């Protein structure tokens, strides 16, 4: 990341324009590929090069086509909202939308990166220790994901107005209702993409790719109807409605793959956590409109109060007693490991 950003900055300063940006990305990709291969070669003793048979090539080619198609659909899942707002309302409104959505989407992508990093471990558990252990590991991972989602949602709702005002000016903030809907849609997308990572382990990419295609088509159709009447709110509602079908289908696929007893058991959001999220949203909204200070003075108390409130709500409403025990026990293990490393 630092290499890519650094190269793009240097090339931009040297007035190479788009050519420089492409060159920066190309060098970053090449360095990343070489480093990844070196790490894999060091840790996987059998890794190397071998001439494949025709059947192996065709099988890999078919899978690669579906993975490529999924990459396109995944990119659309991430960007279709901005494309729709730009198409329906023009440059001025899409600028407001992009600025308002920036903080929430950036953090959501960081969360997804962390979740994605745990998937190889889950795949190892599925193949080695069985589905029951895999379900336990996924459930624990979903607990931590929920904790992060709830805390970040509260903080973003509370500070985003002040953040945008400091960054580009208060007039570029899309609005409180829009901000809330953006957060809800971001959480929904995070859940969808988290389930899609589990589906990757089954290598059944075709189903989830087709489902993502249907979702994007529905999102466009709903937005063309609701968008002109409701603006950004209409686009957010369109995305929410379109992704509900994907949410259900992906949860069903996860249920079948890991053999959960019900779709409800696969969900990151249960009744307890839903109540917690509603309270978290309420706290974030109240902090956003309740602290009447200049943005530079408001953002710190807003963020601090939101953080503390969200942690309390998550621990005592979002978790039951068993989940709290697991959460704190893992925290103790992590603390001991960190102390051990610092001690060295």
């Amino acid at each position: 990341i630092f290499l890519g950003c650094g190269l793009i900055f240097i090339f931009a300063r040297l007035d190479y324009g788009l050519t420089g940006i492409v060159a920066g990305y190309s060098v970053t990709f090449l360095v990343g590929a070489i480093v990844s291969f070196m790490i894999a070669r060091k840790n996987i003793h059998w890794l190397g090069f071998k001439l494949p048979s025709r059947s192996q090539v065709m099988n890999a080619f078919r899978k690669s086509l579906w993975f490529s198609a999924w990459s396109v659909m995944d990119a659309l899942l991430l960007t279709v909202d901005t494309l729709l707002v730009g198409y329906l309302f023009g440059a001025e409104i899409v600028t407001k939308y992009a600025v308002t959505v920036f903080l929430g989407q950036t953090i959501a992508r960081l969360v997804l990166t962390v979740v994605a990093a745990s998937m190889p471990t889950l795949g190892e558990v599925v193949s080695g220790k069985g589905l029951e252990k895999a379900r336990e590991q996924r459930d624990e991972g979903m607990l931590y994901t929920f904790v992060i989602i709830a805390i970040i949602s509260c903080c973003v709702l509370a500070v985003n107005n002040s953040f945008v005002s400091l960054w580009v000016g208060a007039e570029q903030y899309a609005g409180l209702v829009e901000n809330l809907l953006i957060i809800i849609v971001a959480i929904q997308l995070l859940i969808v993409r988290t389930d899609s990572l589990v589906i990757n382990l089954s290598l059944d990419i075709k189903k989830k790719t087709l489902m993502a295609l249907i979702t994007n088509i529905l999102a466009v159709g709903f937005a063309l109807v609701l968008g002109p009447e409701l603006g950004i709110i209409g686009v957010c509602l369109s995305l929410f409605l379109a992704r509900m079908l994907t949410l259900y289908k992906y949860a069903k696929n996860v249920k079948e793959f890991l053999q959960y007893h019900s779709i409800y058991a696969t969900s990151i959001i249960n009744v307890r956590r839903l109540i917690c999220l509603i309270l978290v949203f309420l706290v974030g909204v109240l902090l956003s409109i309740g602290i009447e200070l200049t943005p530079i003075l408001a953002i710190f108390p807003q963020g601090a109060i939101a953080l503390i409130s969200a942690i309390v709500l998550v621990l005592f409403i979002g978790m039951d007693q068993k989940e709290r025990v697991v959460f704190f026990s893992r925290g103790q293990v992590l603390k001991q490991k960190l102390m051990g490393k610092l001690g060295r």
Side-chain angles (χ1 to χ4, degrees):
I1 293 173
F2 289 113
L3 173 65
C5 292
L7 288 174
I8 291 171
F9 176 77
I10 292 171
F11 288 141
R13 294 287 292 179
L14 295 174
D15 293 328
Y16 282 106
L18 289 176
T19 303
I21 294 174
V22 173
Y25 276 119
S26 300
V27 172
T28 305
F29 174 79
L30 182 61
V31 172
I34 293 172
V35 171
S36 298
F37 178 79
M38 291 173 63
I39 294 172
R41 189 73 182 90
K42 181 179 179 180
N43 293 280
I44 304 175
H45 68 277
W46 49 262
L47 184 67
F49 298 96
K50 183 181 178 181
L51 187 65
S53 65
R54 177 182 171 82
S55 61
Q56 289 174 325
V57 171
M58 293 306 296
N59 186 44
F61 179 71
R62 283 191 293 268
K63 281 189 169 61
S64 295
L65 282 178
W66 282 112
F67 273 107
S68 299
W70 164 248
S71 297
V72 174
M73 291 301 105
D74 190 37
L76 284 175
L77 282 174
L78 287 171
T79 58
V80 68
D81 52 344
T82 306
L83 295 173
L84 285 170
V85 173
Y87 173 76
L88 291 170
F89 312 118
E92 183 178 350
I93 302 300
V94 79
T95 300
K96 285 187 176 184
Y97 180 82
V99 168
T100 305
V101 81
F102 172 79
L103 186 60
Q105 277 196 352
T106 300
I107 297 174
R109 290 179 183 182
L110 290 174
V111 174
L112 188 66
T113 301
V114 174
V115 174
S118 68
M119 284 301 114
T121 305
L122 183 62
E124 183 181 350
V125 171
V126 170
S127 61
K129 297 182 180 179
L131 294 176
E132 183 176 354
K133 185 67 177 178
R135 288 193 296 270
E136 291 177 3
Q137 182 171 319
R138 181 180 181 273
D139 291 344
E140 188 173 337
M142 292 300 96
L143 171 63
Y144 304 143
T145 304
F146 165 74
V147 171
I148 297 171
I149 284 174
I151 293 173
I152 288 175
S153 297
C154 190
C155 292
V156 171
L157 278 170
V159 308
N160 206 22
N161 189 1
S162 300
F163 172 77
V164 171
S165 298
L166 288 172
W167 183 22
V168 290
E171 69 279 358
Q172 296 298 331
Y173 181 61
L176 180 61
V177 176
E178 288 85 348
N179 191 29
L180 176 60
L181 288 174
I182 286 168
I183 293 295
I184 293 173
V185 170
I187 292 173
Q188 186 189 38
L189 180 59
L190 183 62
I191 296 171
V192 166
R193 298 188 76 226
T194 300
D195 283 346
S196 80
L197 292 172
V198 178
I199 296 171
N200 281 351
L201 300 177
S202 69
L203 298 180
D204 190 1
I205 310 302
K206 180 178 178 180
K207 285 183 180 179
K208 78 168 191 175
T209 303
L210 293 175
M211 196 64 243
L213 173 62
I214 294 171
T215 298
N216 287 321
I217 292 173
L218 287 175
V220 171
F222 289 147
L224 292 176
V225 175
L226 298 177
E229 297 295 328
L230 300 174
I232 290 175
I233 294 174
V235 173
C236 290
L237 290 174
S238 300
L239 294 171
F240 182 81
L241 292 172
R243 289 172 182 167
M244 286 303 295
L245 178 61
T246 309
L247 201 65
Y248 170 77
K249 292 295 291 185
Y250 281 11
K252 185 177 179 182
N253 290 341
V254 171
K255 170 187 174 292
E256 293 171 354
F257 177 58
L258 295 180
Q259 295 181 15
Y260 279 93
H261 65 275
S262 69
I263 290 180
Y264 177 76
T266 71
S267 177
I268 190 174
I269 306 295
N270 54 30
V271 174
R272 175 187 290 273
R273 293 176 186 175
L274 179 60
I275 294 171
C276 178
L277 276 180
I278 292 172
L279 294 175
V280 160
F281 292 158
L282 180 61
V283 170
V285 168
L286 291 175
L287 286 171
S288 178
I289 62 178
I291 299 181
E292 296 183 359
L293 298 171
T294 58
I296 196 169
L297 294 177
I299 193 169
F300 295 107
Q302 283 172 333
I305 296 172
L307 178 63
I308 295 170
S309 302
I311 290 173
V312 171
L313 288 171
V314 166
L315 289 176
F316 296 101
I317 296 179
M319 297 184 191
D320 57 27
Q321 180 63 33
K322 181 181 178 181
E323 289 171 335
R324 280 195 293 272
V325 170
V326 172
F327 183 77
F328 283 116
S329 65
R330 292 299 186 191
Q332 287 295 323
V333 171
L334 181 60
K335 179 182 176 181
Q336 291 172 3
K337 288 184 178 180
L338 290 174
M339 294 300 292
K341 289 184 178 181
L342 292 174
R344 294 177 187 175

